[in-house]
Amino acid sequence: MGTLKDRLNEDLHTAMKARDELITSTLRMALSAVRIAEVDGDEARELSDDEVLAVLTKEAKKRREAAAAFSGAGRADQAAKETAEGEVLDRYLPKQLTDAEIAEIVAGALAAGGFTGKAQMGPAMKAAQAAVAGRAEGGRVAAEVRRRLV
């Protein structure tokens, strides 16, 4: 099986042949963000699947935030477009964890690291994010870590 970037390219070609404008524009935007990440830094390099996944996660989050901003401003048409783009990107992301699953994983990570107080928030967040491994938004994980470290 190919890489995630290869899958994005293949799906883009399929969408172009099917003349699906939403998927075509969304995947072009996603691949553009991946290419920008590849040339970011001192020298160009090929991103790993995990790094491509991180780029897609960031792009999906941008779509959710934009949809919320547009709907708050009374621009339902633009909000619907952003939501639809986010749904296309969600197809490539791992299934998000439930709040109960996040609580269980964070509890295990904090216990394993011996984190007990708010002063250890930084290292505790690092351990919790590593345990969650991109299957939940950072804000949800941070809220659970804060709740447990109080």
Side-chain angles (χ1 to χ4, degrees), residues 42-86:
D42 293 337
E43 60 185 57
R45 63 188 180 85
E46 189 78 19
L47 295 181
S48 69
D49 275 355
D50 289 339
E51 292 169 319
V52 172
L53 199 59
V55 170
L56 293 179
T57 301
K58 188 185 302 184
E59 291 299 318
K61 182 178 179 186
K62 285 181 190 177
R63 298 298 159 276
R64 281 191 299 278
E65 290 171 351
F70 282 127
S71 65
R75 304 268 318 266
D77 56 333
Q78 210 44 43
K81 180 180 183 276
E82 294 290 337
T83 300
E85 288 177 355

mmCIF file of all heavy atoms in Angstrom, residues 42-86:
data_model
loop_
_atom_site.group_PDB
_atom_site.id
_atom_site.type_symbol
_atom_site.label_atom_id
_atom_site.label_comp_id
_atom_site.label_asym_id
_atom_site.label_seq_id
_atom_site.Cartn_x
_atom_site.Cartn_y
_atom_site.Cartn_z
ATOM 1 N N ASP A 42 15.345 24.075 6.197
ATOM 2 C CA ASP A 42 16.602 24.265 5.480
ATOM 3 C C ASP A 42 16.633 23.590 4.120
ATOM 4 O O ASP A 42 17.194 24.105 3.168
ATOM 5 C CB ASP A 42 17.778 23.747 6.322
ATOM 6 C CG ASP A 42 17.991 24.583 7.576
ATOM 7 O OD1 ASP A 42 17.557 25.748 7.585
ATOM 8 O OD2 ASP A 42 18.597 24.071 8.537
ATOM 9 N N GLU A 43 16.071 22.400 4.023
ATOM 10 C CA GLU A 43 16.078 21.689 2.754
ATOM 11 C C GLU A 43 14.774 20.916 2.561
ATOM 12 O O GLU A 43 14.122 20.533 3.523
ATOM 13 C CB GLU A 43 17.269 20.736 2.673
ATOM 14 C CG GLU A 43 17.300 19.675 3.761
ATOM 15 C CD GLU A 43 18.559 18.838 3.687
ATOM 16 O OE1 GLU A 43 19.652 19.414 3.756
ATOM 17 O OE2 GLU A 43 18.418 17.612 3.572
ATOM 18 N N ALA A 44 14.421 20.716 1.307
ATOM 19 C CA ALA A 44 13.188 19.990 0.985
ATOM 20 C C ALA A 44 13.347 18.517 1.351
ATOM 21 O O ALA A 44 14.437 17.954 1.257
ATOM 22 C CB ALA A 44 12.880 20.136 -0.494
ATOM 23 N N ARG A 45 12.246 17.919 1.797
ATOM 24 C CA ARG A 45 12.278 16.509 2.161
ATOM 25 C C ARG A 45 10.887 15.927 1.997
ATOM 26 O O ARG A 45 9.894 16.651 1.945
ATOM 27 C CB ARG A 45 12.769 16.313 3.591
ATOM 28 C CG ARG A 45 11.853 16.950 4.629
ATOM 29 C CD ARG A 45 12.455 16.903 6.028
ATOM 30 N NE ARG A 45 11.562 17.503 6.986
ATOM 31 C CZ ARG A 45 10.567 16.883 7.589
ATOM 32 N NH1 ARG A 45 10.344 15.613 7.341
ATOM 33 N NH2 ARG A 45 9.803 17.499 8.454
ATOM 34 N N GLU A 46 10.824 14.624 1.912
ATOM 35 C CA GLU A 46 9.548 13.906 1.813
ATOM 36 C C GLU A 46 8.994 13.726 3.229
ATOM 37 O O GLU A 46 9.726 13.306 4.131
ATOM 38 C CB GLU A 46 9.791 12.540 1.158
ATOM 39 C CG GLU A 46 8.541 11.803 0.800
ATOM 40 C CD GLU A 46 7.878 12.301 -0.467
ATOM 41 O OE1 GLU A 46 8.543 12.979 -1.273
ATOM 42 O OE2 GLU A 46 6.685 12.029 -0.634
ATOM 43 N N LEU A 47 7.732 14.051 3.426
ATOM 44 C CA LEU A 47 7.126 13.898 4.743
ATOM 45 C C LEU A 47 6.719 12.442 4.977
ATOM 46 O O LEU A 47 6.306 11.750 4.048
ATOM 47 C CB LEU A 47 5.883 14.778 4.873
ATOM 48 C CG LEU A 47 6.081 16.288 4.831
ATOM 49 C CD1 LEU A 47 4.736 16.986 5.005
ATOM 50 C CD2 LEU A 47 7.058 16.771 5.871
ATOM 51 N N SER A 48 6.815 12.016 6.231
ATOM 52 C CA SER A 48 6.324 10.689 6.601
ATOM 53 C C SER A 48 4.793 10.737 6.674
ATOM 54 O O SER A 48 4.198 11.821 6.675
ATOM 55 C CB SER A 48 6.899 10.267 7.947
ATOM 56 O OG SER A 48 6.340 11.061 8.979
ATOM 57 N N ASP A 49 4.178 9.571 6.753
ATOM 58 C CA ASP A 49 2.714 9.535 6.866
ATOM 59 C C ASP A 49 2.236 10.268 8.111
ATOM 60 O O ASP A 49 1.202 10.940 8.078
ATOM 61 C CB ASP A 49 2.216 8.090 6.883
ATOM 62 C CG ASP A 49 2.036 7.523 5.486
ATOM 63 O OD1 ASP A 49 2.195 8.271 4.500
ATOM 64 O OD2 ASP A 49 1.724 6.327 5.378
ATOM 65 N N ASP A 50 2.978 10.150 9.220
ATOM 66 C CA ASP A 50 2.589 10.839 10.446
ATOM 67 C C ASP A 50 2.643 12.353 10.265
ATOM 68 O O ASP A 50 1.783 13.080 10.771
ATOM 69 C CB ASP A 50 3.486 10.419 11.616
ATOM 70 C CG ASP A 50 3.209 9.003 12.069
ATOM 71 O OD1 ASP A 50 2.105 8.479 11.788
ATOM 72 O OD2 ASP A 50 4.089 8.409 12.722
ATOM 73 N N GLU A 51 3.648 12.826 9.549
ATOM 74 C CA GLU A 51 3.763 14.270 9.309
ATOM 75 C C GLU A 51 2.664 14.755 8.365
ATOM 76 O O GLU A 51 2.101 15.837 8.566
ATOM 77 C CB GLU A 51 5.150 14.596 8.743
ATOM 78 C CG GLU A 51 6.267 14.391 9.738
ATOM 79 C CD GLU A 51 7.650 14.449 9.115
ATOM 80 O OE1 GLU A 51 7.833 13.907 8.005
ATOM 81 O OE2 GLU A 51 8.538 15.039 9.750
ATOM 82 N N VAL A 52 2.337 13.962 7.352
ATOM 83 C CA VAL A 52 1.233 14.311 6.444
ATOM 84 C C VAL A 52 -0.072 14.333 7.233
ATOM 85 O O VAL A 52 -0.904 15.232 7.059
ATOM 86 C CB VAL A 52 1.155 13.329 5.254
ATOM 87 C CG1 VAL A 52 -0.103 13.563 4.425
ATOM 88 C CG2 VAL A 52 2.386 13.444 4.380
ATOM 89 N N LEU A 53 -0.232 13.369 8.125
ATOM 90 C CA LEU A 53 -1.423 13.311 8.967
ATOM 91 C C LEU A 53 -1.533 14.562 9.843
ATOM 92 O O LEU A 53 -2.621 15.116 10.012
ATOM 93 C CB LEU A 53 -1.369 12.053 9.839
ATOM 94 C CG LEU A 53 -2.663 11.575 10.442
ATOM 95 C CD1 LEU A 53 -3.686 11.279 9.368
ATOM 96 C CD2 LEU A 53 -2.406 10.336 11.267
ATOM 97 N N ALA A 54 -0.399 15.025 10.370
ATOM 98 C CA ALA A 54 -0.398 16.247 11.183
ATOM 99 C C ALA A 54 -0.822 17.455 10.350
ATOM 100 O O ALA A 54 -1.580 18.316 10.829
ATOM 101 C CB ALA A 54 0.985 16.477 11.789
ATOM 102 N N VAL A 55 -0.362 17.540 9.107
ATOM 103 C CA VAL A 55 -0.754 18.635 8.222
ATOM 104 C C VAL A 55 -2.257 18.577 7.952
ATOM 105 O O VAL A 55 -2.956 19.597 8.023
ATOM 106 C CB VAL A 55 0.045 18.587 6.893
ATOM 107 C CG1 VAL A 55 -0.520 19.567 5.878
ATOM 108 C CG2 VAL A 55 1.518 18.870 7.152
ATOM 109 N N LEU A 56 -2.766 17.376 7.667
ATOM 110 C CA LEU A 56 -4.204 17.229 7.398
ATOM 111 C C LEU A 56 -5.040 17.565 8.626
ATOM 112 O O LEU A 56 -6.111 18.167 8.505
ATOM 113 C CB LEU A 56 -4.514 15.806 6.918
ATOM 114 C CG LEU A 56 -3.960 15.415 5.560
ATOM 115 C CD1 LEU A 56 -4.322 13.975 5.230
ATOM 116 C CD2 LEU A 56 -4.449 16.350 4.476
ATOM 117 N N THR A 57 -4.544 17.194 9.798
ATOM 118 C CA THR A 57 -5.251 17.516 11.039
ATOM 119 C C THR A 57 -5.343 19.020 11.220
ATOM 120 O O THR A 57 -6.396 19.562 11.581
ATOM 121 C CB THR A 57 -4.535 16.874 12.239
ATOM 122 O OG1 THR A 57 -4.494 15.459 12.042
ATOM 123 C CG2 THR A 57 -5.234 17.185 13.545
ATOM 124 N N LYS A 58 -4.241 19.707 10.953
ATOM 125 C CA LYS A 58 -4.211 21.166 11.073
ATOM 126 C C LYS A 58 -5.177 21.810 10.081
ATOM 127 O O LYS A 58 -5.916 22.746 10.424
ATOM 128 C CB LYS A 58 -2.790 21.677 10.831
ATOM 129 C CG LYS A 58 -2.622 23.149 11.131
ATOM 130 C CD LYS A 58 -1.241 23.664 10.771
ATOM 131 C CE LYS A 58 -0.141 22.931 11.490
ATOM 132 N NZ LYS A 58 1.191 23.501 11.202
ATOM 133 N N GLU A 59 -5.207 21.300 8.858
ATOM 134 C CA GLU A 59 -6.108 21.842 7.843
ATOM 135 C C GLU A 59 -7.579 21.589 8.209
ATOM 136 O O GLU A 59 -8.424 22.453 8.022
ATOM 137 C CB GLU A 59 -5.793 21.246 6.465
ATOM 138 C CG GLU A 59 -4.467 21.696 5.891
ATOM 139 C CD GLU A 59 -4.375 23.188 5.671
ATOM 140 O OE1 GLU A 59 -5.354 23.791 5.185
ATOM 141 O OE2 GLU A 59 -3.328 23.769 5.990
ATOM 142 N N ALA A 60 -7.873 20.416 8.751
ATOM 143 C CA ALA A 60 -9.247 20.111 9.164
ATOM 144 C C ALA A 60 -9.671 21.035 10.302
ATOM 145 O O ALA A 60 -10.815 21.511 10.332
ATOM 146 C CB ALA A 60 -9.356 18.652 9.592
ATOM 147 N N LYS A 61 -8.748 21.307 11.215
ATOM 148 C CA LYS A 61 -9.055 22.214 12.325
ATOM 149 C C LYS A 61 -9.332 23.625 11.794
ATOM 150 O O LYS A 61 -10.253 24.303 12.263
ATOM 151 C CB LYS A 61 -7.894 22.241 13.318
ATOM 152 C CG LYS A 61 -8.159 23.127 14.509
ATOM 153 C CD LYS A 61 -7.022 23.110 15.501
ATOM 154 C CE LYS A 61 -7.329 24.040 16.662
ATOM 155 N NZ LYS A 61 -6.198 24.167 17.573
ATOM 156 N N LYS A 62 -8.560 24.056 10.806
ATOM 157 C CA LYS A 62 -8.798 25.372 10.192
ATOM 158 C C LYS A 62 -10.202 25.440 9.607
ATOM 159 O O LYS A 62 -10.887 26.454 9.733
ATOM 160 C CB LYS A 62 -7.781 25.635 9.069
ATOM 161 C CG LYS A 62 -6.410 25.990 9.525
ATOM 162 C CD LYS A 62 -5.531 26.245 8.305
ATOM 163 C CE LYS A 62 -4.081 26.384 8.658
ATOM 164 N NZ LYS A 62 -3.248 26.559 7.437
ATOM 165 N N ARG A 63 -10.642 24.348 8.967
ATOM 166 C CA ARG A 63 -11.975 24.329 8.367
ATOM 167 C C ARG A 63 -13.061 24.418 9.433
ATOM 168 O O ARG A 63 -14.051 25.115 9.254
ATOM 169 C CB ARG A 63 -12.182 23.064 7.529
ATOM 170 C CG ARG A 63 -11.240 22.918 6.355
ATOM 171 C CD ARG A 63 -11.394 24.055 5.349
ATOM 172 N NE ARG A 63 -10.244 24.224 4.495
ATOM 173 C CZ ARG A 63 -9.145 24.909 4.799
ATOM 174 N NH1 ARG A 63 -9.003 25.480 5.954
ATOM 175 N NH2 ARG A 63 -8.168 25.047 3.928
ATOM 176 N N ARG A 64 -12.882 23.696 10.551
ATOM 177 C CA ARG A 64 -13.880 23.753 11.639
ATOM 178 C C ARG A 64 -13.953 25.162 12.221
ATOM 179 O O ARG A 64 -15.043 25.689 12.471
ATOM 180 C CB ARG A 64 -13.529 22.747 12.732
ATOM 181 C CG ARG A 64 -13.910 21.325 12.411
ATOM 182 C CD ARG A 64 -13.794 20.418 13.606
ATOM 183 N NE ARG A 64 -12.437 20.341 14.133
ATOM 184 C CZ ARG A 64 -11.476 19.554 13.649
ATOM 185 N NH1 ARG A 64 -11.729 18.771 12.624
ATOM 186 N NH2 ARG A 64 -10.279 19.543 14.189
ATOM 187 N N GLU A 65 -12.784 25.786 12.447
ATOM 188 C CA GLU A 65 -12.770 27.134 13.015
ATOM 189 C C GLU A 65 -13.385 28.139 12.055
ATOM 190 O O GLU A 65 -14.127 29.039 12.472
ATOM 191 C CB GLU A 65 -11.340 27.524 13.376
ATOM 192 C CG GLU A 65 -10.781 26.751 14.549
ATOM 193 C CD GLU A 65 -9.296 26.980 14.784
ATOM 194 O OE1 GLU A 65 -8.626 27.627 13.930
ATOM 195 O OE2 GLU A 65 -8.795 26.503 15.816
ATOM 196 N N ALA A 66 -13.084 28.000 10.764
ATOM 197 C CA ALA A 66 -13.647 28.917 9.771
ATOM 198 C C ALA A 66 -15.157 28.748 9.676
ATOM 199 O O ALA A 66 -15.890 29.739 9.572
ATOM 200 C CB ALA A 66 -12.997 28.685 8.414
ATOM 201 N N ALA A 67 -15.630 27.506 9.725
ATOM 202 C CA ALA A 67 -17.075 27.264 9.668
ATOM 203 C C ALA A 67 -17.768 27.912 10.857
ATOM 204 O O ALA A 67 -18.833 28.530 10.698
ATOM 205 C CB ALA A 67 -17.358 25.767 9.638
ATOM 206 N N ALA A 68 -17.166 27.805 12.037
ATOM 207 C CA ALA A 68 -17.758 28.428 13.223
ATOM 208 C C ALA A 68 -17.766 29.951 13.081
ATOM 209 O O ALA A 68 -18.757 30.612 13.431
ATOM 210 C CB ALA A 68 -16.985 28.015 14.472
ATOM 211 N N ALA A 69 -16.692 30.513 12.564
ATOM 212 C CA ALA A 69 -16.620 31.967 12.387
ATOM 213 C C ALA A 69 -17.651 32.447 11.363
ATOM 214 O O ALA A 69 -18.336 33.457 11.582
ATOM 215 C CB ALA A 69 -15.219 32.374 11.952
ATOM 216 N N PHE A 70 -17.773 31.737 10.255
ATOM 217 C CA PHE A 70 -18.740 32.129 9.231
ATOM 218 C C PHE A 70 -20.166 32.003 9.730
ATOM 219 O O PHE A 70 -21.003 32.865 9.460
ATOM 220 C CB PHE A 70 -18.562 31.303 7.947
ATOM 221 C CG PHE A 70 -17.414 31.757 7.087
ATOM 222 C CD1 PHE A 70 -16.446 30.859 6.681
ATOM 223 C CD2 PHE A 70 -17.305 33.075 6.678
ATOM 224 C CE1 PHE A 70 -15.389 31.265 5.882
ATOM 225 C CE2 PHE A 70 -16.254 33.496 5.881
ATOM 226 C CZ PHE A 70 -15.290 32.588 5.481
ATOM 227 N N SER A 71 -20.470 30.934 10.446
ATOM 228 C CA SER A 71 -21.843 30.785 10.940
ATOM 229 C C SER A 71 -22.143 31.840 11.995
ATOM 230 O O SER A 71 -23.262 32.336 12.068
ATOM 231 C CB SER A 71 -22.090 29.376 11.477
ATOM 232 O OG SER A 71 -21.295 29.132 12.615
ATOM 233 N N GLY A 72 -21.150 32.219 12.787
ATOM 234 C CA GLY A 72 -21.340 33.284 13.776
ATOM 235 C C GLY A 72 -21.569 34.635 13.126
ATOM 236 O O GLY A 72 -22.202 35.516 13.704
ATOM 237 N N ALA A 73 -21.040 34.801 11.907
ATOM 238 C CA ALA A 73 -21.195 36.061 11.186
ATOM 239 C C ALA A 73 -22.406 36.040 10.251
ATOM 240 O O ALA A 73 -22.600 36.976 9.474
ATOM 241 C CB ALA A 73 -19.932 36.349 10.381
ATOM 242 N N GLY A 74 -23.200 34.965 10.325
ATOM 243 C CA GLY A 74 -24.399 34.897 9.508
ATOM 244 C C GLY A 74 -24.142 34.498 8.064
ATOM 245 O O GLY A 74 -24.972 34.734 7.201
ATOM 246 N N ARG A 75 -22.989 33.904 7.779
ATOM 247 C CA ARG A 75 -22.646 33.477 6.414
ATOM 248 C C ARG A 75 -22.806 31.965 6.302
ATOM 249 O O ARG A 75 -21.843 31.219 6.227
ATOM 250 C CB ARG A 75 -21.208 33.874 6.076
ATOM 251 C CG ARG A 75 -20.866 35.341 6.212
ATOM 252 C CD ARG A 75 -21.045 36.127 4.925
ATOM 253 N NE ARG A 75 -20.591 35.469 3.732
ATOM 254 C CZ ARG A 75 -19.393 35.623 3.181
ATOM 255 N NH1 ARG A 75 -18.500 36.395 3.749
ATOM 256 N NH2 ARG A 75 -19.101 34.997 2.058
ATOM 257 N N ALA A 76 -24.044 31.511 6.306
ATOM 258 C CA ALA A 76 -24.345 30.085 6.322
ATOM 259 C C ALA A 76 -23.807 29.368 5.093
ATOM 260 O O ALA A 76 -23.355 28.217 5.188
ATOM 261 C CB ALA A 76 -25.849 29.873 6.427
ATOM 262 N N ASP A 77 -23.833 30.026 3.921
ATOM 263 C CA ASP A 77 -23.334 29.390 2.706
ATOM 264 C C ASP A 77 -21.840 29.093 2.803
ATOM 265 O O ASP A 77 -21.376 28.000 2.464
ATOM 266 C CB ASP A 77 -23.628 30.264 1.483
ATOM 267 C CG ASP A 77 -23.060 31.670 1.616
ATOM 268 O OD1 ASP A 77 -22.904 32.158 2.762
ATOM 269 O OD2 ASP A 77 -22.765 32.298 0.574
ATOM 270 N N GLN A 78 -21.081 30.044 3.288
ATOM 271 C CA GLN A 78 -19.636 29.865 3.445
ATOM 272 C C GLN A 78 -19.337 28.850 4.551
ATOM 273 O O GLN A 78 -18.410 28.049 4.439
ATOM 274 C CB GLN A 78 -19.017 31.229 3.773
ATOM 275 C CG GLN A 78 -17.624 31.505 3.329
ATOM 276 C CD GLN A 78 -17.257 31.094 1.929
ATOM 277 O OE1 GLN A 78 -17.996 31.274 0.964
ATOM 278 N NE2 GLN A 78 -16.096 30.518 1.812
ATOM 279 N N ALA A 79 -20.131 28.875 5.627
ATOM 280 C CA ALA A 79 -19.955 27.911 6.721
ATOM 281 C C ALA A 79 -20.202 26.484 6.226
ATOM 282 O O ALA A 79 -19.460 25.568 6.588
ATOM 283 C CB ALA A 79 -20.896 28.239 7.877
ATOM 284 N N ALA A 80 -21.215 26.313 5.390
ATOM 285 C CA ALA A 80 -21.519 24.984 4.849
ATOM 286 C C ALA A 80 -20.376 24.486 3.967
ATOM 287 O O ALA A 80 -20.017 23.303 4.014
ATOM 288 C CB ALA A 80 -22.815 25.032 4.054
ATOM 289 N N LYS A 81 -19.772 25.376 3.197
ATOM 290 C CA LYS A 81 -18.644 24.994 2.335
ATOM 291 C C LYS A 81 -17.452 24.552 3.186
ATOM 292 O O LYS A 81 -16.826 23.528 2.912
ATOM 293 C CB LYS A 81 -18.247 26.172 1.450
ATOM 294 C CG LYS A 81 -17.073 25.876 0.522
ATOM 295 C CD LYS A 81 -16.746 27.108 -0.318
ATOM 296 C CE LYS A 81 -15.635 26.829 -1.295
ATOM 297 N NZ LYS A 81 -14.310 26.970 -0.731
ATOM 298 N N GLU A 82 -17.144 25.306 4.227
ATOM 299 C CA GLU A 82 -16.026 24.960 5.109
ATOM 300 C C GLU A 82 -16.290 23.632 5.823
ATOM 301 O O GLU A 82 -15.389 22.812 5.967
ATOM 302 C CB GLU A 82 -15.779 26.068 6.139
ATOM 303 C CG GLU A 82 -15.308 27.380 5.545
ATOM 304 C CD GLU A 82 -13.909 27.347 4.995
ATOM 305 O OE1 GLU A 82 -13.105 26.480 5.414
ATOM 306 O OE2 GLU A 82 -13.593 28.191 4.142
ATOM 307 N N THR A 83 -17.517 23.426 6.247
ATOM 308 C CA THR A 83 -17.884 22.171 6.912
ATOM 309 C C THR A 83 -17.727 20.996 5.952
ATOM 310 O O THR A 83 -17.202 19.945 6.328
ATOM 311 C CB THR A 83 -19.330 22.243 7.433
ATOM 312 O OG1 THR A 83 -19.426 23.338 8.368
ATOM 313 C CG2 THR A 83 -19.734 20.966 8.130
ATOM 314 N N ALA A 84 -18.164 21.176 4.720
ATOM 315 C CA ALA A 84 -18.047 20.110 3.722
ATOM 316 C C ALA A 84 -16.580 19.783 3.443
ATOM 317 O O ALA A 84 -16.196 18.616 3.322
ATOM 318 C CB ALA A 84 -18.759 20.516 2.430
ATOM 319 N N GLU A 85 -15.731 20.814 3.357
ATOM 320 C CA GLU A 85 -14.300 20.581 3.149
ATOM 321 C C GLU A 85 -13.706 19.822 4.334
ATOM 322 O O GLU A 85 -12.881 18.925 4.152
ATOM 323 C CB GLU A 85 -13.565 21.909 2.949
ATOM 324 C CG GLU A 85 -13.834 22.560 1.615
ATOM 325 C CD GLU A 85 -13.154 23.904 1.461
ATOM 326 O OE1 GLU A 85 -12.530 24.403 2.431
ATOM 327 O OE2 GLU A 85 -13.225 24.487 0.367
ATOM 328 N N GLY A 86 -14.125 20.187 5.542
ATOM 329 C CA GLY A 86 -13.651 19.485 6.729
ATOM 330 C C GLY A 86 -14.051 18.021 6.726
ATOM 331 O O GLY A 86 -13.267 17.156 7.128
#
